[in-house]
Amino acid sequence: LIFAGGKNEYGRLIGKADRLMTIPDENPIKPHDVAKTIFDHFGVVNTQFTTLEGRPMWIYDKEAKNILI
């Protein structure tokens, strides 16, 4: 996955994988972490919305982390 442009650092690598690059050895990144990183980058603060049935939904979990910080 590549993030480019904006305030991102050039050439930054995040995490470490095994020899075949198939399994993360440290700092595994999940899809909700990527979502939080993208929304933080664009300054989106409110990541909660309401479904048509009136139920609250969140775009990502509260445990999500910004992977570029």
Side-chain angles (χ1 to χ4, degrees), residues 7 34-49 58-60 66:
K7 58 185 175 181
V34 175
K36 177 160 178 60
T37 302
I38 292 169
F39 283 105
D40 281 356
H41 180 77
F42 287 111
V44 177
V45 179
N46 186 12
T47 58
Q48 179 182 356
F49 63 95
W58 290 266
I59 295 174
Y60 51 78
N66 185 329

